[in-house]
């Protein structure tokens, strides 16, 4: 079976929906988080929000430190998820690639002092833990979606 026939077969049997749905939901959540970061009340200390940098004391849900740049990144990441959810292959790339980006952000947050000028996003401990959770979840979803697309789910043979 050619790659084209395999893709057509996969698209028709619905296995591509897992990847598309996971990327669509993930993108929508990021989009909502980005919007929520600009809503006073949902974001505490809203009046202290800066464009970028650790000086921003605004916190989404009173927990996650945000800035205008941080919120814009969430919006763009959400839009990317919605756009890349149209095809299973790009949806999987979004999930795995995004997970890798969040893993790098987690490492960055561990290495950079929170009050240092290099903390331009800004990040706090809650952001760091969330980034690790997002990294694991997104890579896991991407790999699970890839297995579903290939038809590997539930087809393991016993030893």
């Amino acid at each position: 079976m050619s790659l084209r026939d395999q893709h057509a077969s996969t698209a028709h049997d619905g296995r591509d929906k897992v990847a598309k749905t996971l990327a669509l939901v993930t993108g929508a959540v990021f989009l909502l988080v980005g919007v929520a970061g600009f809503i006073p009340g949902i974001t505490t200390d809203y009046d202290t929000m800066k464009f970028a940098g650790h000086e921003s004391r605004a916190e989404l849900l009173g927990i996650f430190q945000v800035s205008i740049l941080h919120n814009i990144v969430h919006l763009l990441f959400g839009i990317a998820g919605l756009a890349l959810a149209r095809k299973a292959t790009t949806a999987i790339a979004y999930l795995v690639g995004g997970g890798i980006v969040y893993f790098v952000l987690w490492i960055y947050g561990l290495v950079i002092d929170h009050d240092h000028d290099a903390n331009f996003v800004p990040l706090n401990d809650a952001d760091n833990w969330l980034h690790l959770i997002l990294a694991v979840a997104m890579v896991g979803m991407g790999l699970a979606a890839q297995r579903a697309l290939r038809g590997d789910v539930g087809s393991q043979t016993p030893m």
Side-chain angles (χ1 to χ4, degrees), residues 23-29 31 76-86 94:
L24 186 67
V25 169
T26 301
V29 169
L31 197 58
L76 293 173
F77 205 71
I79 291 167
L82 298 179
L84 295 172
R86 296 175 137 194
Y94 168 75

Side-chain angles (χ1 to χ4, degrees), residues 18-119:
V18 172
K20 292 177 177 183
T21 301
L22 289 172
L24 186 67
V25 169
T26 301
V29 169
F30 276 107
L31 197 58
L32 290 173
V33 166
V35 170
F38 288 114
I39 299 175
I42 295 175
T43 299
T44 59
D45 297 322
Y46 186 83
D47 58 329
T48 68
M49 188 181 302
K50 306 287 185 207
F51 179 77
H54 65 276
E55 297 89 8
S56 183
R57 295 294 169 217
E59 292 182 335
L60 181 63
L61 304 174
I63 301 170
F64 305 103
Q65 192 174 4
V66 293
S67 65
I68 294 170
L69 177 62
H70 202 152
N71 292 333
I72 290 171
V73 169
H74 287 144
L75 290 170
L76 293 173
F77 205 71
I79 291 167
L82 298 179
L84 295 172
R86 296 175 137 194
K87 287 178 42 181
T89 54
T90 57
I92 291 167
Y94 168 75
L95 291 167
V96 174
I100 292 168
V101 167
Y102 274 99
F103 182 76
V104 170
L105 275 173
W106 174 64
I107 297 294
Y108 177 79
L110 293 177
V111 172
I112 299 300
D113 183 78
H114 293 178
D115 291 325
H116 192 276
D117 288 341
N119 185 12

